[in-house]
Amino acid sequence: MPRITIWHALNQRAIARRYAAEHDTRYEDLDLIICHLGGGISVGTHRHGRAVDVNNAPDGEGPFSPERAGTLPAGQLIDLCNSGRFTKEELKKRISGRAGLTAHLGTTDVPAIIRQIEAGDKHAELVLDAMIYQIAKSIGAASVVLCGKIDVILLTGGMAHSDHIISRLKERISFLAPVHVYPGEDELEALALNVLSALRGELPVQTYR
């Protein structure tokens, strides 16, 4: 089973170039870990301008997220697939779409979940803490790819707006490298900026077949 890389490539690269520009350096000169915190979560390891390792976020590899189950125990997953309880399409939805926070708490609305926690909901707190824990583990695993020589860890995506999540994540990963946060998604801006850079001759024009 070959590993397939499906990740938030546009946003991760856009954030990498934005960070580099803000710090008077080049993306191609940096070793980075970039974590996109959205409906799916991708953790990319970037070595000198190339993404060299990343989890397959849509197909359930890595930490669980608001919509995805993340890595599951293979034996139990095989048992579930052969239980006859679900069709193939239903099972796919159970790992991507109706999984993660949705499956546990019935919503992907992180601010609403945090309000539940502040109101004393211990189950919501347990589930959200478990997601943060798994994200931190994935970032820690990515650090091994760079032999621990990391210039910076960049956090981006919609959930990066949450101080609750970011503060707890920083507690676990800030010993690895400086952590910078870029909330939101910049896919369309990334497309425009890359076209502009190509027209200026700053980036090569690639041919994809």
Side-chain angles (χ1 to χ4, degrees):
M1 297 180 190
R3 292 183 71 238
I4 300 170
T5 54
I6 305 175
W7 52 297
H8 302 89
L10 282 173
N11 193 45
Q12 287 205 20
R13 289 189 186 277
I15 293 304
R17 294 191 184 281
R18 181 175 162 189
Y19 171 84
E22 290 175 357
H23 291 81
D24 298 318
T25 185
R26 301 189 316 142
Y27 169 46
E28 291 77 12
D29 294 330
L30 295 170
D31 289 332
L32 311 167
I33 295 173
I34 307 177
C35 180
H36 180 104
L37 301 165
I41 295 171
S42 62
V43 179
T45 309
H46 299 244
R47 180 188 289 125
H48 287 187
R50 291 178 62 88
V52 296
D53 200 346
V54 69
N55 62 304
N56 181 351
D59 283 349
E61 183 184 20
F64 78 84
S65 73
E67 297 177 356
R68 289 159 192 158
T71 302
L72 297 170
Q76 292 180 54
L77 182 59
I78 290 169
D79 291 342
L80 184 64
C81 291
N82 287 279
S83 68
R85 293 167 54 198
F86 305 101
T87 66
K88 178 180 177 180
E89 290 307 312
E90 287 172 337
L91 284 166
K92 285 193 170 185
K93 281 293 184 182
R94 287 181 71 84
I95 66 167
S96 181
R98 294 199 298 267
L101 295 182
T102 302
H104 288 286
L105 302 174
T107 182
T108 62
D109 187 339
V110 170
I113 293 170
I114 291 169
R115 288 194 293 272
Q116 288 178 244
I117 293 170
E118 290 171 345
D121 189 330
K122 293 300 181 183
H123 177 63
E125 183 176 19
L126 175 66
V127 171
L128 196 64
D129 281 350
M131 185 184 74
I132 295 166
Y133 175 82
Q134 288 195 3
I135 296 166
K137 278 180 65 177
S138 292
I139 292 171
S143 71
V144 176
V145 179
L146 297 172
C147 300
K149 298 173 183 176
I150 310 154
D151 291 306
V152 67
I153 298 169
L154 304 179
L155 305 177
T156 183
M159 286 196 293
H161 286 288
S162 170
D163 290 337
H164 181 101
I165 289 175
I166 294 301
S167 62
R168 285 158 177 76
L169 197 49
K170 281 183 174 180
E171 286 177 5
R172 293 188 176 276
I173 64 172
S174 58
F175 75 96
L176 293 167
V179 179
H180 289 250
V181 183
Y182 293 89
E185 301 182 22
D186 289 331
E187 275 91 350
L188 294 178
E189 182 180 354
L191 286 171
L193 290 176
N194 282 341
V195 169
L196 184 60
S197 295
L199 291 172
R200 287 172 172 167
E202 298 168 357
L203 290 175
V205 177
Q206 307 283 2
T207 301
Y208 296 92
R209 300 187 187 278

